Amino acid sequence: MGGSMQKKLIGFFAALMWAALATTAYAQNAQITGAVKDSSGAIIPGATVTAKNVETGLTRTDVTNGQGEYRLPSLPPGRYAVSTELIGFSTETRPDIVLIIEQTAVINFALKPAAISETVTVTGESPIVDITRSDVSTAISTQQIQDLPVASRRWIDLAMLTPGTSQDNIRGFFYRGNVNLGAGTREYSNAFVVDGVNNTWAEMGEPRQNFAMDAIQEFKVSTSTYKAEYGLATGGVLAVVTKSGTNQLHGSGLLFFRDASITAKEFFQATKPDYRRYQYGGTVGGPIVENKTHYFFAYEGTKEKQFFTVNARGLWPQYEGTFPSEQDRWTYNVKLNHQMTSTQSLFFRFGAEDEYRPIITTGGRTTPSASFDFAVPRRSAVVGHSAVLSDRALNDFRFQYAYAKYEVAPPYSHGDWAPGDFTARLPFCQPVFSYPSIQVGGCGNAQMGPEGRWELKDDFSYLMRAFGGTHQWKMGFDFSYVPFEGDNTGSPLGSWTFPKDVPYDANDRTTWPTLYTNSLPTYANIPVKVYAGYLQDDWQAAEGLTFNLGIRYDLQVGSFNEDVPGLLAKIQDKLGRDGSFPFDVSIFPQPGATRGDHNNFGPRVGVAWDPANNGVTNVHAAYGMFYDNMRTLQNFGELTWPQAKSITIQSPSFPDPFGGKSREAFLSSTPPTVNVGSNGQINMYAHQYNVGMNRLVARNLALSADFTTVRRYGDRDTVEINIPDQVTRQRLYPPFVRVNFWQPTADNYYKALLLKIEKRMSNRYQALLSYTLGKAEDDTFTSALSDHYGYTKVRRSGVADRRHRLVASGIVTLAYDMQLSGIGDFRSSLPFGPITSGLDLNNDTLSGTSVSAPANSDLPSGVMPMSGCRALNLDAINAFRTGRGLTPVSQVDCPTFVNVDVRFSKFFRIGASSRVELIAQLFNIFDRANFNVPSNNIGAGNDAATGRPLFGTVTSLLPNINAPSRQAEFAIRFQF
C-alpha cells in the first residue's frame, strides 16, 4: 500500500473519530445497568435511579425508559449506594455496591407500592459474574493488593494469581515488574494501561513505569480475546486504576524490614551474606473541596543489599563466589480529581520513579565483570476529562507525556551518559572470555536509551435502542509520537569462545578458541508515530444475550526503518560520521519495493449468554485478530553496522586473532558483515479463540473454565543469506562475508485450559484458586542441526512452556483484630535448549551460543533445539561427549517450582478512624531451592567435587524470584 493510501486511511479514521466526538472504554471505569419493575413483574418507566460514590460523593442519575431500563455510565471503581424512587412506590436502596475495573454490573429493582413515604434498604453487592463479557479476565482488588504477602512489594506480581500468566520469559534483569499474559509468552507481547493511557515501552514492549503499591486501587488482567478498545498486544492486557482522594482525610505510613538474621542461606552460598532490605513510604489523600475536588499522594522507597552467587562447581574457583549488589529504588505520584459539574470531571496525575541496581545478571556462570548495572529514570504526566453528554452519550479524553531512559552501564560504574557519548565508558571495557561453565569480562553491555511519548486519546460511547436490541456503541482513536534514540558500546576489545572448561593450552588443540567476535560502539535515532482507531458494539440482542463486536486498526509509522537515508542522516548529525552505507545493500532481493505494514485491521467477535437470564451463568465464546508492537530497538542493527564494523572469526588464533595486523588493516582485507531488514516485515499478528463458562455457585463464589488457543505469526527470524554453497563453497554475495537478513517467519502457538475459583470477601474470608494447563511452542528457522546444511524451520517447545501451574491465595479475618493471608505457587518444569560452544558441525560457517533458542549453535546429530526436559536424546548427547573425551551424562535435572508465602497482621485501633498494623511475613516458608534450568552446554566439564557432568546439572537458582530462600519480614503500618 503506497504512501497516498496510507494518508487516506489516516485521514479517514481521524475524520471518523472527531465526527463522533472521539472514543470509548471510559478510561477503565465501570457502569451499572438494569431494569426497574413492580412486584408483579410489570415494567416501570420514569423511575429515577441514582448511584452515589460513598467516598467521593460522585453521583450519576438516570430515568428508566419505556422498557423500564436504565444506565449509569463512567463510574470510577469504588463503593456505591444505588437507589431508585418513583411517586407511589417505596424507595429502594442498595447501599453496598462495589464496582471493579471495567465492570458492567446488572442491578435490577422490584419496587413495592407504598401508601406512605418509606425507604427499603436491600443488602446486596455487585454481581461477581459479569454476564455481558466474552473475554477472559480477572480483577485484583484493593484488599488483595494491600493484604496478601508479596515479597517484592510490586503490585504487578499479583497478576500471577490469575490463570494463564507467568514470569518465565520476562527480561527480569532489566524490568522485574513484568508479566507474561496468556499467549504473550514474549516479554514484548502484552499491553499495559494505567488510568486509560499507554504504559508500555515502544522500544521493547515492556511496562514502562512502576507505581507505589499503596497507589494502586485495583487492576484487571485480560489474558484472551480482549475488546477492540485495546491493541498492539498479541498476548493480553493489564489495565490499572490508581487511587484518588475522598471526602475524608486518609493516609498511611509504612516500614518493612528484613535482614540476614531472619533470612536463610541460599542453596549455592558457602556462607550467609549480610543481606538486608528496607522499604518505607506513605500516602495522604483527602478533599480540597468536599464532593468536588480531591487529592492523593503516594511515595515508596526501597533499599536492598542483595548477593549473587557465581557457581562453576569448582571448575573456576578464581571467579566463583558471592558478590554484593547495593540496590536502591524510589517512586512517587500525585493525583488531583475535580468534579466540574454533575456530568463533567477532570483529573491530573504526575508520577516519577528511579532505580539503581548493579551487576544484576551476576550468578550461575556469569561473573560480575560479565554483568552490568541498570538504572531507569522515569516520569509521566496525564490529564483526563470525562463528560456525560446526555443520558446516552459519554466522551472521555486523555493526554499523556512520558519519559524513560534505560541506563545499562559497566559493573559498579553508576553510569549515566548521553546516547552516542562513549568516551567515559570505554575505559571500563575488558575482553570477554566465555567457557562452557563461566563467562568473564565485557563492557557491561553498556547502552543508553531515552524514550519519550506524547499521547492523545479520545473515547466516545453512545447507547442506542434499535435494530433488534440495545447497542452500546464505542469508538475511539489513539495517537502517540514516540521519540527514541539509543546506543550500544559493543565489544571493542573482543569476545573469545572456548569449547572446554580448561585454560587455553597452545599444545592441546581441544582447548583452542572456536570463535572470536569484535564490534565497535553504535548509535541510532528512530522516532515512531502510532495511530489507532476502533469501533465497538456491545449488542444486547435479547435478555441474557450479548454480542461483543468490534474492529480495530493499528498503524506504526517509523517502526520498520521506512526512511533509511533519513535515519542515517540523524546518525551523521549526531556523530559526524557513518551517515551512509559504504557498500551497496540494494543488491539483496526484497519481496517488495516499500516498507511498512498498513493493513492491520483486527476484527473481534464474542458472545455472552446467560441461559436463565438471572445473572448466574455466563456461557461465552470469542474470536479476535490482534497485532503486536513492532519494537524499535531491534531495528538499530540495520543502520549501525557501518559503525560496528563487526568481525567474526571461526577457529581464531590466540591471543592475536588478526594475525599480526591492526584491526583496521584486518578489516580492509576482510568482507564486511551487514544487517538487512526485509521490506516484507510486518506487525506480528495472532488469531485468538476462546470458549468458556462462568458460574455463580453461591452468593459470593464463582467458578470459571476457559479453553483458549492462539496462533501467532510474523515475528522476526534472522537468517544468514550469504552462507557458502555447500559444494562450490562460493558465497552468493562475494563483497560480504555475512548478510543477516531479518524476515517475518517466526511463528508460535499457545493453548491452555484455564480454571478459576473465586470467593469474594464474606464470612470473614476471601480466596482465589487458579490452575493453568498450557502448552507453548515456537516455529522458527535454525542453523543448529548438524545433519542439515544451513537453515531449517523447526517447531519446538517455547521458552515459557510450563505445562502445569497452580496458584492459591486467600485472606482470613480472625478474632481480636487479627488477619492471616497466604499465597501458594506450584509449577512444573521448564524446557531448556542444549548448546555447544561455537562449534560449526555442519560446515555452514555458522556458530554461536544462543541459550534459549539456539539459532547458530550447532547441535550433535539427533539433538533438537529446546529439547531439554522435553524430548532430549541423551544417547546423542553422550555420543558427542565421549567422542571428545568427556564423561557421559546419566542424569538431567528438570526442576519444578514450589513457593508458599504467609502473612500475619495484628491491628491496634487508635480512636475512631486510625489504627496501627503490626505485620509478620514469612516468604518461601519451606526454604525451597527453586532452581533455574540446568547447565545446557553439551561440552561442559564435570563437577570438581562430585565428578558429575555439569550438562544437565542445576548450578543456579531461578532468576526473578523474590525469595530465593526462606525470608522473614517485619513491618509496621499506620493508617488514619
Side-chain angles (χ1 to χ4, degrees):
M1 185 180 297
S4 61
M5 187 60 181
Q6 174 183 334
K7 292 178 182 178
K8 290 178 182 178
L9 274 174
I10 296 170
F12 169 75
F13 271 94
L16 174 65
M17 300 313 151
W18 281 114
L21 295 178
T23 3
T24 172
Y26 325 133
Q28 306 162 308
N29 285 346
Q31 65 176 348
I32 299 175
T33 66
V36 179
K37 300 180 180 180
D38 64 18
S39 54
S40 70
I43 62 174
I44 301 179
T48 300
V49 183
T50 302
K52 182 176 182 179
N53 188 302
V54 299
E55 295 176 326
T56 67
L58 183 143
T59 301
R60 293 273 188 268
T61 300
D62 193 20
V63 176
T64 57
N65 61 17
Q67 290 76 42
E69 299 169 344
Y70 73 94
R71 172 176 172 259
L72 302 171
S74 192
L75 298 171
R79 190 175 302 275
Y80 288 81
V82 184
S83 62
T84 182
E85 58 183 341
L86 183 66
I87 295 175
F89 293 88
S90 59
T91 297
E92 184 173 316
T93 299
R94 309 280 179 90
D96 198 29
I97 302 298
V98 177
L99 298 181
I100 62 176
I101 184 172
E102 295 183 350
Q103 179 185 16
T104 295
V106 180
I107 308 292
N108 297 319
F109 292 88
L111 302 186
K112 298 177 181 180
I116 58 174
S117 176
E118 63 174 321
T119 298
V120 178
T121 300
V122 178
T123 301
E125 295 151 330
S126 59
I128 196 171
V129 173
D130 189 337
I131 62 171
T132 69
R133 300 185 69 96
S134 56
D135 62 343
V136 182
S137 61
T138 303
I140 302 300
S141 68
T142 302
Q143 184 172 30
Q144 289 169 292
I145 295 171
Q146 293 296 314
D147 294 343
L148 286 171
V150 182
S152 65
R153 276 191 55 81
R154 286 188 304 269
W155 55 269
I156 198 171
D157 286 353
L158 290 171
M160 296 283 285
L161 300 179
T162 68
T165 61
S166 80
Q167 290 179 324
D168 292 322
N169 195 20
I170 65 172
R171 299 192 304 166
F173 47 86
F174 284 136
Y175 307 107
R176 293 290 297 275
N178 195 6
V179 63
N180 305 127
L181 307 176
T185 54
R186 301 292 191 275
E187 78 275 4
Y188 51 80
S189 293
N190 305 289
F192 301 91
V193 179
V194 178
D195 292 330
V197 295
N198 183 291
N199 190 44
T200 308
W201 284 93
E203 50 94 11
M204 277 303 280
E206 290 142 312
R208 184 184 62 243
Q209 184 173 348
N210 196 11
F211 296 86
M213 199 161 188
D214 288 350
I216 304 300
Q217 179 166 335
E218 62 183 64
F219 63 91
K220 188 176 81 167
V221 179
S222 297
T223 55
S224 179
T225 55
Y226 58 86
K227 291 185 178 182
E229 59 207 65
Y230 297 119
L232 286 185
T234 55
V237 174
L238 194 149
V240 183
V241 174
T242 60
K243 288 182 178 178
S244 301
T246 68
N247 280 333
Q248 300 294 320
L249 178 63
H250 290 293
S252 64
L254 60 88
L255 175 64
F256 286 73
F257 166 77
R258 59 185 110 145
D259 71 2
S261 65
I262 50 177
T263 299
K265 181 171 65 71
E266 294 180 17
F267 186 86
F268 292 110
Q269 291 175 343
T271 59
K272 186 166 65 172
D274 186 25
Y275 172 79
R276 64 175 64 93
R277 184 180 195 270
Y278 299 89
Q279 188 169 66
Y280 46 90
T283 67
V284 62
I288 298 175
V289 179
E290 188 172 352
N291 290 332
K292 195 174 185 69
T293 308
H294 305 89
Y295 71 94
F296 181 84
F297 173 81
Y299 174 85
E300 184 178 273
T302 305
K303 293 184 179 296
E304 185 171 19
K305 187 176 183 180
Q306 289 194 1
F307 293 85
F308 302 121
T309 301
V310 177
N311 175 37
R313 305 306 288 256
L315 293 177
W316 300 95
Q318 67 270 42
Y319 300 120
E320 298 179 57
T322 298
F323 302 90
S325 174
E326 295 269 5
Q327 303 188 4
D328 188 13
R329 173 184 164 270
W330 57 262
T331 179
Y332 71 87
N333 68 280
V334 61
K335 190 174 183 181
L336 300 175
N337 295 80
H338 178 62
Q339 191 71 28
M340 303 169 66
T341 67
S342 61
T343 59
Q344 294 192 64
S345 61
L346 188 71
F347 85 88
F348 169 78
R349 170 176 58 78
F350 178 82
E353 179 187 13
D354 203 352
E355 63 179 316
Y356 173 68
R357 294 184 289 131
I359 63 166
I360 57 175
T361 59
T362 299
R365 67 183 292 270
T366 304
T367 63
S369 65
S371 185
F372 51 81
D373 296 356
F374 187 66
V376 187
R378 309 162 167 107
R379 55 184 180 268
S380 63
V382 182
V383 176
H385 176 265
S386 296
V388 179
L389 305 176
S390 71
D391 60 347
R392 296 189 178 190
L394 168 72
N395 191 74
D396 193 78
F397 171 79
R398 293 287 184 271
F399 166 78
Q400 175 185 213
Y401 167 72
Y403 172 87
K405 178 189 177 188
Y406 60 78
E407 298 172 350
V408 187
Y412 301 118
S413 67
H414 291 263
D416 174 12
W417 300 289
D421 180 4
F422 301 103
T423 304
R425 281 179 255 180
L426 293 177
F428 289 96
C429 291
Q430 305 174 29
V432 177
F433 298 95
S434 180
Y435 296 86
S437 300
I438 206 78
Q439 181 170 320
V440 181
C443 284
N445 190 31
Q447 307 175 51
M448 299 291 133
E451 176 184 294
R453 181 178 289 266
W454 301 84
E455 181 180 14
L456 289 172
K457 181 176 183 291
D458 197 83
D459 299 289
F460 175 77
S461 175
Y462 185 77
L463 184 68
M464 181 176 68
R465 296 179 177 94
F467 308 116
T470 300
H471 298 262
Q472 184 168 297
W473 293 96
K474 300 178 182 180
M475 61 188 70
F477 76 88
D478 190 347
F479 168 77
S480 289
Y481 172 66
V482 185
F484 172 57
E485 59 178 332
D487 65 27
N488 194 315
T489 309
S491 56
L493 299 185
S495 176
W496 300 88
T497 300
F498 294 86
K500 297 178 70 174
D501 278 316
V502 294
Y504 168 78
D505 182 352
N507 299 316
D508 183 357
R509 292 185 64 91
T510 66
T511 69
W512 292 8
T514 56
L515 188 69
Y516 176 82
T517 60
N518 187 300
S519 61
L520 300 181
T522 61
Y523 165 87
N525 184 331
I526 305 181
V528 172
K529 295 178 182 178
V530 184
Y531 303 84
Y534 72 92
L535 178 65
Q536 184 173 295
D537 179 19
D538 291 328
W539 170 30
Q540 185 180 346
E543 291 188 351
L545 180 64
T546 302
F547 291 94
N548 304 130
L549 310 174
I551 188 168
R552 182 181 180 91
Y553 178 73
D554 290 294
L555 175 66
Q556 291 182 277
V557 178
S559 295
F560 300 88
N561 287 358
E562 295 97 321
D563 180 18
V564 170
L567 296 173
L568 289 173
K570 291 179 179 292
I571 294 174
Q572 183 70 35
D573 291 343
K574 180 75 173 184
L575 303 180
R577 55 180 171 82
D578 296 314
S580 62
F581 289 150
F583 299 92
D584 181 12
V585 296
S586 65
I587 64 173
F588 307 120
Q590 290 283 4
T594 60
R595 291 185 172 185
D597 190 6
H598 307 116
N599 61 347
N600 298 329
F601 291 93
R604 318 282 168 87
V605 180
V607 59
W609 177 43
D610 180 4
N613 191 32
N614 59 2
V616 170
T617 304
N618 177 355
V619 179
H620 52 266
Y623 160 78
M625 188 172 181
F626 304 84
Y627 296 88
D628 236 338
N629 169 58
M630 188 66 171
R631 293 157 289 141
T632 318
L633 183 59
Q634 65 176 347
N635 294 337
F636 277 32
E638 183 179 31
L639 306 172
T640 60
W641 62 263
Q643 303 171 53
K645 298 178 174 60
S646 297
I647 296 173
T648 300
I649 305 174
Q650 291 181 312
S651 301
S653 59
F654 183 83
D656 179 12
F658 304 138
K661 299 179 181 179
S662 67
R663 189 185 199 279
E664 293 72 20
F666 181 87
L667 269 178
S668 66
S669 60
T670 303
T673 294
V674 299
N675 300 306
V676 180
S678 169
N679 290 352
Q681 290 183 102
I682 59 175
N683 288 90
M684 298 74 71
Y685 65 96
H687 298 282
Q688 293 189 6
Y689 308 84
N690 175 72
V691 60
M693 182 179 71
N694 305 332
R695 172 77 179 181
L696 185 70
V697 296
R699 180 176 174 183
N700 292 291
L701 179 66
L703 308 179
S704 299
D706 287 275
F707 178 76
T708 183
T709 182
V710 180
R711 305 177 69 85
R712 183 175 179 273
Y713 303 99
D715 210 341
R716 177 172 292 181
D717 261 332
T718 300
V719 176
E720 214 281 77
I721 61 174
N722 200 35
I723 61 175
D725 182 272
Q726 190 171 8
V727 177
T728 67
R729 309 306 296 171
Q730 297 298 310
R731 296 184 184 270
L732 184 61
Y733 307 102
F736 304 92
V737 61
R738 294 187 186 276
V739 180
N740 299 315
F741 191 71
W742 303 336
Q743 59 188 37
T745 54
D747 307 325
N748 46 75
Y749 310 93
Y750 175 82
K751 56 184 177 182
L753 173 66
L754 310 176
L755 304 178
K756 181 176 65 176
I757 301 174
E758 186 174 7
K759 165 66 172 61
R760 190 158 50 187
M761 177 59 80
S762 64
N763 300 323
R764 304 176 72 89
Y765 78 98
Q766 174 273 340
L768 177 61
L769 180 69
S770 67
Y771 170 73
T772 303
L773 172 63
K775 184 177 182 179
E777 293 181 302
D778 295 335
D779 191 8
T780 63
F781 279 98
T782 178
S783 66
L785 305 184
S786 60
D787 51 2
H788 289 72
Y789 188 82
Y791 287 88
T792 306
K793 201 172 190 188
V794 175
R795 188 158 171 169
R796 81 293 293 268
S797 294
V799 180
D801 179 43
R802 254 191 226 276
R803 301 296 168 84
H804 304 276
R805 184 165 184 267
L806 175 68
V807 183
S809 65
I811 304 169
V812 180
T813 301
L814 306 173
Y816 305 108
D817 281 334
M818 295 185 294
Q819 183 174 269
L820 184 67
S821 63
I823 300 174
D825 191 346
F826 310 88
R827 315 173 197 172
S828 61
S829 65
L830 284 168
F832 69 92
I835 64 170
T836 57
S837 293
L839 298 180
D840 180 17
L841 301 178
N842 58 11
N843 201 32
D844 61 4
T845 73
L846 301 174
S847 61
T849 53
S850 175
V851 174
S852 60
N856 299 324
S857 177
D858 286 358
L859 300 173
S861 179
V863 180
M864 298 299 290
M866 290 304 296
S867 59
C869 293
R870 290 297 180 266
L872 184 65
N873 187 338
L874 204 55
D875 290 338
I877 295 285
N878 285 331
F880 175 87
R881 288 181 61 85
T882 55
R884 283 160 174 75
L886 299 171
T887 307
V889 176
S890 60
Q891 176 185 347
V892 174
D893 298 333
C894 295
T896 58
F897 180 96
V898 175
N899 187 79
V900 178
D901 301 332
V902 296
R903 170 173 170 162
F904 173 80
S905 296
K906 167 63 179 174
F907 301 95
F908 298 90
R909 302 194 178 276
I910 304 173
S913 59
S914 300
R915 69 179 186 180
V916 172
E917 179 184 6
L918 299 182
I919 302 169
Q921 301 188 107
L922 191 61
F923 306 114
N924 192 0
I925 64 174
F926 300 117
D927 198 22
R928 167 68 181 257
N930 288 306
F931 297 110
N932 197 1
V933 295
S935 176
N936 65 339
N937 196 301
I938 301 171
N942 296 348
D943 187 308
T946 67
R948 177 184 170 183
L950 288 188
F951 176 81
T953 301
V954 293
T955 60
S956 64
L957 297 177
L958 191 71
N960 310 323
I961 54 176
N962 300 314
S965 63
R966 183 190 297 118
Q967 296 182 355
E969 182 173 66
F970 298 102
I972 183 170
R973 184 204 303 269
F974 174 67
Q975 296 172 302
F976 63 90

